Amino acid sequence: MAKKKDSERHNAENGNAKNGDEPNFNDPDGFVDDISDEELLGDILATKPKETDGFDSVIIVDGIPKVGTDRLEKLKNVINKIFAKYGTIVSDYYPKDDTGSTKGYIFIEYNNSVAAREAVANANSYKLDKHHTFLVNLFTDYEKYTTIPDKWETPTPQEYPEKPNLQEYLLEPDAYDQYLVFDTDWHVQIWLNSSPHPTLLEDRERWTESFVRWSPLGTYLATVHKLGVVLWGGSKFAKVMRFAQQNVQFIDFSPCEQYLIIFSNYHDSSETKKLGIFDIRTGMEKRSFAIDGAPAWPIFRWSKDDKYFARIGQNLLSVYETPSFGLLDKKSIQVSGIRDFMWSPSDNVLAYWVAEDKDVPARVVLLEIPSRQEIRANNLFNVADCKIHWQKNGDYLCVKVDRYAKSKKEKGEVKYSGMHYNFEIFHMREKNIPVDIIEIKEPIHAFAWEPVGSKFAVIHGEASNIKVAFYDIKSGQKLALTKLLEKKVCSHLFWSPNGQYIVLAECREVGALEFIDTNDFSTMASGEHYKATTVEWDPTGRFVASSVSAWNHKMDTGYWLWSFQGKVLRRCNSNTFCEFKWRPRPQTLLSENKLKEVKKSLKKYTVQFEQKDRIRLTKASKDVVEKRQKLMKDFKEYRDKRIQEWKKQKQERLQLRSNVDTDELNADSKSYEEEIVEFIIKEEITLV
Amino acid sequence: MITLIMYLHHFQKPILLHGHERALTQIKYNRDGDLLFSCAKDQTPNVWYSLNGERLGTFNGHCGAVWCIDVDWQTKHLISGAADNSLRLWDVSNGSEIGNLAVRSAVRTCAFNYSANMAVYTTDSTYGFACEIHIIDVRNADESFSKTSSILRMQVEGAKVTSTIWGPLDKTIITGHDDGTITQWDTTTGRIMNTIKEHKNAINDIQKNSDGTMFITASKDCTAKLFDVEDLSLLKTYTTERPVNSAAVSPIFDHVVVGGGQEAMEVTTTSTKAGKFDARFFHLIFEEEFARVKGHFGPINSLAFHPDGKSFSSGGEDGFVRIQSFDQSYFDYKFDY
């Protein structure tokens, strides 16, 4: 009954409403509103004006000098000079104490918030002088900093996230190397160069948005995106770290993979570019630099142990140290006329050269860091240019010096004539660092040190007779030419990472490759990969990859794999192929003695390896045979069905061709007419 | 297992047919295989003895590049279509022109049907004329040919037809198009029965296998593909690095031959040494390449197997036709499976 009553009342109410009476919207007594304003009109509340609105173009600069009224003008000038770089300053305010001197902090308002943010990013930690370092913050962040609780709360320990084993690729039992293949449309594949067929490990569409790089030891794969750089690692190439920095142009790793350097256009309009140095393990930005203009990449060169990095400036060399990321000894090294420098790959020594200036000769200097001690210097005359080549072990340094007989100034450009070339070889491991000199009168096309060992190769000569010269440095003996190969077709030299073998390549027109064993200078093989522009040895010196990129060529793009003896193992041609990169490996952990031992007992291992290879080959051919059997079976099934149908149609076919059976070539033998055709095969005329 | 690629030219000397002054456009054997017909961008189709390469005669009359030829099953009549906007019917026995059918634009493809009662030809879309497919009656082989009106006319929407074959029992026509599509038409109604797009670029050639149950397409997208003639299902793909101009299926083995090269205008940029003008042999089922035949110094434009499968011919951009007889190593070659 109660129920019915209830519904009746409902009806009654509805009836009332229809009659036009206002329904009662009041909350009943004791009603508690459990819906917050946030929930009801969160979107509207979000747009509610805040106190700091309109202040987002205002910055607070702390740490400026406290000065009296007399020096205020000067201070303002200095401050303006620094901060006007980032945008137009609309107004500034210098709070003063009772005596009229500034309080050590100021407010600056820009005409837009972008400029303010840029000022914070660049001028923060700006060292004005010894005692004053600026602390620059956005005014809108002020609140954030004031609400920091006074009492320290111990942070709750975060759960340890399982990190992938970044060294897993080195655990491959057969020491197969990996390589990446980069296609147009940002399609990246990672392959394992296994025998007898490579194995595809990863295949991702749009893995990157501009380019990909391996880190120098091969631990990480870096992909570059619109919003920054991502590092991948481990067996499944999981995301290891992200670095946010927009409009990335270049990236670089420090040699020990501790730091990542990202160079980017700050934003498109600005001329100033940003270079950020990040700690790879934490993802934190350690330091950033504002770079003007278009500098040559890499801007910074790193010492082999990640301890120092240096860049060249106008008449100075700036060496920075890690982990403080400040200038070494807080000042740059003054070197007037410095042109180029290179770090030694084995020691904290750098070689730089200084151009000639009127009566002052050019100089090549070896400088020890951090002591800044010149350990060797060499004066040179009539120098047009120098190139510094360190041998990979740091045992030798070669400076290629382009010298001239005469120089003329024409239209502001210096023109040289009578060019000849010197190679100055510094013996780094010997006392006082003696120097050997070789002079070559012909134009030099390429120079390359044998990565291990003491040989180097030079390509020189006129186009009609290109020569490849090999020199060997033997301690205690005079540097001598060991072999001269004449009339070669080559433009580039590629030594095997383990030395001994070298590929002479012509990478401009034809793409000719010649594989040479420098023990006896015999040509093991030569081949041609038409139009090949790049040649790269795998990190173990067992394979060579040559490639033609779709960036340079329209036709014949793809990559080929060669054995170190010069046999083509694989041709992968693809229209979309762009880049091939072997995954690098860290240096071997085996001691020198151990390596010698391995080399000595190589025969023993060869037997094992060859047996392994045979087993793999038989297995592979078994796989192929199985695959073919399946294909054959499937196709036969399909064909049998079709042929059945075809046979059923025979009658219809006969009708179409007036009952002549043409199904087989000779089926219709009845209607054959034999015709004898005579051909003259040979005509002989004999005169009697 | 790595399949070694044989170079067949080491063994048998080919017969070189030099009768054309310009690039070959199409070559065809007759059903018996004793004659080889060829047409080129010059104006004169030729007929040759396939056995020794002697020229039997020429078909004089066209005044434009001849794009296509076809011979009927009894080797009585030949039709040819040309850029002079005409389709001509010839008497094979004496080389005389029986009829000349004037068309509004260049004739790109032509084919007799199985019974040779009808023929199909297609026209280019030029000068404001759309690409059209025409089916005509060719039973009255006399002067009236020039006044023949089409039994069926099909307007082609979209890309023009570049190659045409008749389906089984003359019930369908299959056309390949400039954008890579393949269309199947009903020859009684003129309606489209099926359209597929397996190729990414223009189709250059379509040929049937010997029993007409499958056909192979050659495409600018660097592949040749094998299809079922009834439901147009894709059976196999043969991949190369160059645009494929022609492909044919062996009548006796599970082999296909593909040929091509880059477009004529780009030829000079490539050395012949790069070996891109070879005729290449693939296994029909495994899609693996196993042999190559060198020879042409320009792209191959047309390929044909001799009906007995013991030789094949290729017509090239270089103006030569090469008849290559297979040697014993070809017949001995077997895939392991």
Side-chain angles (χ1 to χ4, degrees):
Chain A
M1 274 305 273
K3 235 183 188 172
K4 200 185 162 195
K5 244 186 192 164
D6 214 303
S7 68
E8 269 173 9
R9 201 166 65 212
H10 231 90
N11 285 340
E13 266 175 20
N14 281 348
N16 283 345
K18 267 180 205 150
N19 289 343
D21 286 348
E22 269 302 297
N24 188 10
F25 283 120
N26 288 340
D27 289 332
D29 291 341
F31 174 81
V32 182
D33 193 352
D34 57 352
I35 308 170
S36 69
D37 286 352
E38 289 288 319
E39 237 171 290
L40 278 173
L41 25 89
D43 48 338
I44 298 169
L45 279 179
T47 60
K48 184 175 148 184
K50 288 191 200 72
E51 277 176 47
T52 52
D53 272 359
F55 292 106
D56 55 359
S57 51
V58 179
I59 58 168
I60 308 171
V61 184
D62 207 349
I64 65 158
K66 291 180 185 172
V67 294
T69 38
D70 47 336
R71 293 175 59 208
L72 184 60
E73 255 332 288
K74 205 178 168 201
L75 176 70
K76 279 192 173 179
N77 280 341
V78 172
I79 298 285
N80 264 334
K81 212 170 168 187
I82 296 165
F83 285 95
K85 273 192 280 191
Y86 309 111
T88 316
I89 295 172
V90 178
S91 67
D92 52 14
Y93 174 61
Y94 291 71
K96 296 179 192 74
D97 61 12
D98 301 337
T99 61
S101 66
T102 56
K103 282 184 173 178
Y105 59 90
I106 55 162
F107 301 88
I108 295 175
E109 186 179 2
Y110 284 103
N111 62 345
N112 63 48
S113 58
V114 178
R117 277 202 296 274
E118 201 175 323
V120 171
N122 284 288
N124 197 18
S125 335
Y126 180 91
K127 276 189 186 161
L128 184 67
D129 54 35
K130 233 179 262 176
H131 306 291
H132 295 94
T133 305
F134 289 167
L135 292 168
V136 187
N137 285 298
L138 284 175
F139 186 77
T140 42
D141 285 340
Y142 185 73
E143 193 180 3
K144 193 170 88 191
Y145 295 123
T146 51
T147 52
I148 293 170
D150 293 333
K151 227 174 101 191
W152 166 254
E153 261 178 59
T154 330
T156 46
Q158 286 185 359
E159 231 173 282
Y160 174 72
E162 197 65 46
K163 286 261 170 78
N165 178 4
L166 297 175
Q167 258 71 45
E168 197 149 297
Y169 69 106
L170 296 172
L171 298 174
E172 218 291 317
D174 292 302
Y176 291 140
D177 278 298
Q178 294 181 13
Y179 57 84
L180 75 79
V181 174
F182 181 52
D183 275 359
T184 48
D185 308 330
W186 302 283
H187 178 201
V188 182
Q189 287 180 326
I190 311 278
W191 291 82
L192 184 70
N193 189 26
S194 50
S195 159
H197 298 297
T199 325
L200 184 62
L201 298 178
E202 282 295 324
D203 185 354
R204 295 188 199 171
E205 301 275 350
R206 304 196 67 87
W207 200 346
T208 174
E209 283 167 347
S210 63
F211 59 92
V212 277
R213 285 284 171 274
W214 291 109
S215 63
L217 304 180
T219 314
Y220 307 101
L221 177 73
T223 57
V224 178
H225 304 263
K226 281 202 188 80
L227 299 175
V229 179
V230 183
L231 295 189
W232 312 80
S235 61
K236 288 273 170 284
F237 289 95
K239 196 180 280 182
V240 181
M241 195 51 78
R242 282 170 47 191
F243 305 90
Q245 185 162 323
Q246 290 188 13
N247 302 322
V248 180
Q249 283 197 314
F250 302 108
I251 63 166
D252 198 7
F253 286 88
S254 66
C256 300
E257 300 183 341
Q258 286 188 56
Y259 305 106
L260 177 71
I261 301 96
I262 305 176
F263 181 68
S264 61
N265 272 349
Y266 220 150
H267 35 80
D268 302 324
S269 56
S270 157
E271 273 293 300
T272 310
K273 285 155 189 157
K274 185 190 167 187
L275 182 138
I277 302 179
F278 295 83
D279 187 307
I280 287 178
R281 240 153 292 167
T282 60
M284 304 287 271
E285 187 179 275
K286 304 301 279 187
R287 168 129 200 212
S288 68
F289 295 86
I291 308 276
D292 289 314
W297 186 257
I299 296 165
F300 287 107
R301 299 213 172 98
W302 289 76
S303 70
K304 52 105 194 176
D305 53 3
D306 280 12
K307 257 203 171 134
Y308 306 101
F309 57 102
R311 73 181 284 200
I312 227 166
Q314 200 81 41
N315 294 329
L316 52 82
L317 179 68
S318 309
V319 182
Y320 298 82
E321 60 184 344
T322 60
S324 75
F325 288 87
L327 269 173
L328 181 68
D329 302 335
K330 303 205 169 52
K331 58 174 184 283
S332 298
I333 304 165
Q334 290 292 331
V335 188
S336 56
I338 185 166
R339 293 284 291 274
D340 198 10
F341 77 101
M342 285 283 173
W343 287 93
S344 158
S346 60
D347 304 277
N348 281 335
V349 169
L350 57 83
Y352 68 82
W353 79 280
V354 178
E356 229 165 341
D357 186 25
K358 282 173 196 151
D359 302 327
V360 186
R363 265 155 65 86
V364 172
V365 181
L366 291 171
L367 191 69
E368 200 175 62
I369 300 292
S371 68
R372 302 180 173 211
Q373 194 192 339
E374 283 190 11
I375 51 174
R376 186 77 162 85
N378 226 13
N379 287 350
L380 303 163
F381 298 93
N382 300 344
V383 175
D385 196 12
C386 280
K387 279 265 152 30
I388 302 167
H389 301 275
W390 282 95
Q391 191 235 16
K392 204 178 140 205
N393 287 352
D395 296 344
Y396 304 100
L397 164 72
C398 170
V399 180
K400 179 194 153 222
V401 188
D402 299 5
R403 302 182 59 191
Y404 58 86
K406 273 186 212 154
S407 78
K408 248 196 306 189
K409 268 209 169 162
E410 260 178 37
K411 292 171 199 159
E413 272 179 55
V414 187
K415 292 214 168 157
Y416 301 110
S417 56
M419 295 297 288
H420 55 280
Y421 305 89
N422 274 16
F423 289 99
E424 314 250 337
I425 315 285
F426 292 72
H427 296 245
M428 297 300 293
R429 301 285 180 245
E430 286 170 48
K431 208 180 157 195
N432 292 336
I433 315 185
V435 179
D436 273 327
I437 300 173
I438 304 168
E439 192 177 313
I440 294 175
K441 293 258 195 262
E442 293 177 316
I444 310 291
H445 305 290
F447 171 93
W449 281 104
E450 186 179 17
V452 287
S454 53
K455 282 196 261 287
F456 64 87
V458 183
I459 304 181
H460 62 88
E462 306 294 338
S464 56
N465 183 8
I466 298 283
K467 300 170 197 131
V468 186
F470 291 91
Y471 294 86
D472 201 349
I473 303 167
K474 292 194 180 102
S475 61
Q477 286 177 27
K478 216 177 168 319
L479 179 64
L481 178 74
T482 42
K483 185 78 185 175
L484 184 71
L485 306 170
E486 298 205 43
K487 300 224 157 147
K488 289 285 170 193
V489 183
C490 60
S491 62
H492 291 76
L493 297 164
F494 299 97
W495 281 96
S496 155
N498 295 333
Q500 187 179 350
Y501 303 105
I502 189 168
V503 176
L504 313 180
E506 204 286 332
C507 298
R508 287 180 190 138
E509 273 301 310
V510 279
L513 276 74
E514 187 169 347
F515 295 74
I516 286 178
D517 181 349
T518 58
N519 269 1
D520 53 1
F521 295 101
S522 60
T523 300
M524 296 186 292
S526 49
E528 186 187 303
H529 181 186
Y530 188 65
K531 290 278 181 206
T533 47
T534 48
V535 174
E536 199 187 353
W537 281 87
D538 80 326
T540 56
R542 292 174 292 178
F543 303 98
V544 175
S546 62
S547 54
V548 185
S549 164
W551 289 326
N552 308 325
H553 291 283
K554 271 189 207 149
M555 308 288 286
D556 304 308
T557 54
Y559 62 94
W560 292 11
L561 294 179
W562 310 65
S563 72
F564 75 94
Q565 297 106 323
K567 195 177 135 202
V568 183
L569 301 175
R570 210 174 167 72
R571 295 181 173 96
C572 298
N573 293 329
S574 141
N575 290 339
T576 52
F577 167 82
C578 289
E579 200 177 23
F580 180 99
K581 280 264 172 257
W582 289 103
R583 185 175 195 168
R585 280 172 180 272
Q587 255 176 345
T588 176
L589 298 173
L590 295 178
S591 67
E592 205 130 307
N593 285 338
K594 192 86 185 155
L595 276 175
K596 267 189 193 146
E597 212 176 290
V598 171
K599 271 186 186 161
K600 224 184 257 171
S601 42
L602 206 59
K603 279 222 173 89
K604 193 179 86 197
Y605 295 121
T606 316
V607 178
Q608 293 176 14
F609 287 138
E610 275 178 358
Q611 194 179 0
K612 240 180 165 178
D613 277 349
R614 256 199 309 280
I615 293 168
R616 265 197 293 265
L617 264 177
T618 6
K619 192 178 166 284
S621 47
K622 216 181 105 212
D623 289 350
V624 171
V625 165
E626 270 169 21
K627 194 184 126 208
R628 284 180 181 169
Q629 276 170 345
K630 192 181 174 299
L631 284 172
M632 187 57 99
K633 200 177 134 253
D634 293 352
F635 197 75
K636 279 273 175 282
E637 262 172 39
Y638 153 81
R639 281 296 284 166
D640 286 346
K641 239 193 288 167
R642 273 284 180 265
I643 288 171
Q644 283 299 322
E645 286 171 28
W646 184 69
K647 282 187 177 147
K648 271 186 216 151
Q649 293 170 345
K650 178 146 189 151
Q651 217 42 49
E652 292 173 71
R653 271 200 303 277
L654 283 173
Q655 273 173 17
L656 283 173
R657 286 191 172 173
S658 44
N659 286 326
V660 181
D661 186 359
T662 54
D663 283 356
E664 299 289 328
L665 188 56
N666 299 320
D668 170 41
S669 52
K670 280 170 284 171
S671 64
Y672 254 96
E673 284 171 46
E674 197 159 318
E675 195 182 328
I676 296 168
V677 185
E678 278 184 21
F679 304 118
I680 296 170
I681 296 169
K682 205 175 170 189
E683 208 171 6
E684 266 182 51
I685 302 166
T686 334
L687 287 172
V688 185
Chain B
M1 188 188 301
I2 295 153
T3 312
L4 290 173
I5 293 173
M6 303 189 287
Y7 273 96
L8 295 170
H9 71 288
H10 292 297
F11 314 109
Q12 279 270 357
K13 250 195 136 168
I15 303 169
L16 253 73
L17 314 185
H18 193 197
H20 289 286
E21 283 154 19
R22 294 203 50 205
L24 270 290
T25 50
Q26 197 165 30
I27 57 170
K28 258 181 192 165
Y29 283 98
N30 64 347
R31 192 181 61 82
D32 297 323
D34 58 335
L35 299 180
L36 178 68
F37 296 87
S38 65
C39 62
K41 284 185 191 166
D42 57 30
Q43 300 156 7
T44 325
N46 284 188
V47 57
W48 316 77
Y49 283 115
S50 66
L51 189 67
N52 65 350
E54 192 187 334
R55 182 153 65 174
L56 181 62
T58 56
F59 300 91
N60 305 327
H62 275 298
C63 40
V66 184
W67 292 122
C68 53
I69 44 167
D70 196 28
V71 60
D72 69 4
W73 66 278
Q74 289 164 302
T75 325
K76 272 188 190 160
H77 300 133
L78 182 81
I79 46 170
S80 60
D84 61 1
N85 298 358
S86 73
L87 179 80
R88 291 176 202 234
L89 183 70
W90 311 82
D91 187 335
V92 177
S93 63
N94 56 16
S96 62
E97 186 182 307
I98 297 169
N100 174 358
L101 179 65
V103 187
R104 284 189 295 189
S105 59
V107 179
R108 181 62 60 170
T109 71
C110 63
F112 281 110
N113 71 353
Y114 189 80
S115 64
N117 290 336
M118 287 186 277
V120 63
Y121 69 89
T122 69
T123 58
D124 275 0
S125 46
T126 39
Y127 307 119
F129 299 116
C131 170
E132 286 174 341
I133 303 170
H134 292 261
I135 297 178
I136 51 170
D137 192 322
V138 290
R139 272 175 297 189
N140 297 327
D142 49 40
E143 303 83 59
S144 68
F145 178 76
S146 33
K147 294 180 203 77
T148 308
S149 54
S150 305
I151 301 170
L152 206 57
R153 206 184 85 181
M154 293 161 267
Q155 193 119 1
V156 177
E157 317 266 334
K160 73 166 187 192
V161 174
T162 51
S163 45
T164 312
I165 55 165
W166 286 83
L169 304 175
D170 299 338
K171 285 176 182 155
T172 58
I173 284 174
I174 292 159
T175 52
H177 298 254
D178 214 17
D179 63 348
T181 53
I182 297 168
T183 309
Q184 190 180 36
W185 309 80
D186 188 323
T187 51
T188 48
T189 62
R191 283 209 191 95
I192 293 175
M193 297 162 69
N194 198 353
T195 301
I196 54 163
K197 187 160 187 209
E198 297 284 357
H199 280 294
K200 293 191 196 93
N201 210 325
I203 290 172
N204 289 323
D205 185 30
I206 298 185
Q207 290 192 32
K208 285 183 276 192
N209 72 333
S210 55
D211 62 22
T213 56
M214 300 185 286
F215 65 90
I216 190 163
T217 56
S219 165
K220 207 178 161 185
D221 70 1
C222 305
T223 62
K225 289 179 191 237
L226 188 72
F227 294 91
D228 184 279
V229 82
E230 299 270 0
D231 56 12
L232 305 189
S233 57
L234 174 64
L235 303 172
K236 298 287 169 188
T237 301
Y238 313 97
T239 311
T240 75
E241 310 82 54
R242 282 288 184 279
V244 180
N245 290 338
S246 188
V249 184
S250 164
I252 53 170
F253 292 125
D254 286 327
H255 294 168
V256 300
V257 59
V258 305
Q262 64 275 73
E263 280 178 63
M265 55 187 294
E266 287 167 34
V267 167
T268 50
T269 62
T270 305
S271 74
T272 47
K273 240 167 101 186
K276 304 300 179 189
F277 307 133
D278 300 352
R280 301 165 72 164
F281 285 80
F282 287 78
H283 193 276
L284 178 90
I285 298 164
F286 308 142
E287 305 170 337
E288 290 172 52
E289 187 183 352
F290 66 94
R292 288 185 185 190
V293 177
K294 280 188 181 181
H296 285 285
F297 46 89
I300 291 174
N301 286 344
S302 187
L303 281 167
F305 263 104
H306 190 282
D308 69 5
K310 290 175 186 163
S311 64
F312 82 103
S313 298
S314 52
E317 185 73 23
D318 56 10
F320 283 99
V321 176
R322 299 172 74 94
I323 302 178
Q324 179 83 53
S325 297
F326 293 119
D327 102 350
Q328 200 51 45
S329 67
Y330 172 81
F331 298 104
D332 292 343
Y333 188 80
K334 292 279 180 298
F335 275 83
D336 297 328
Y337 67 92

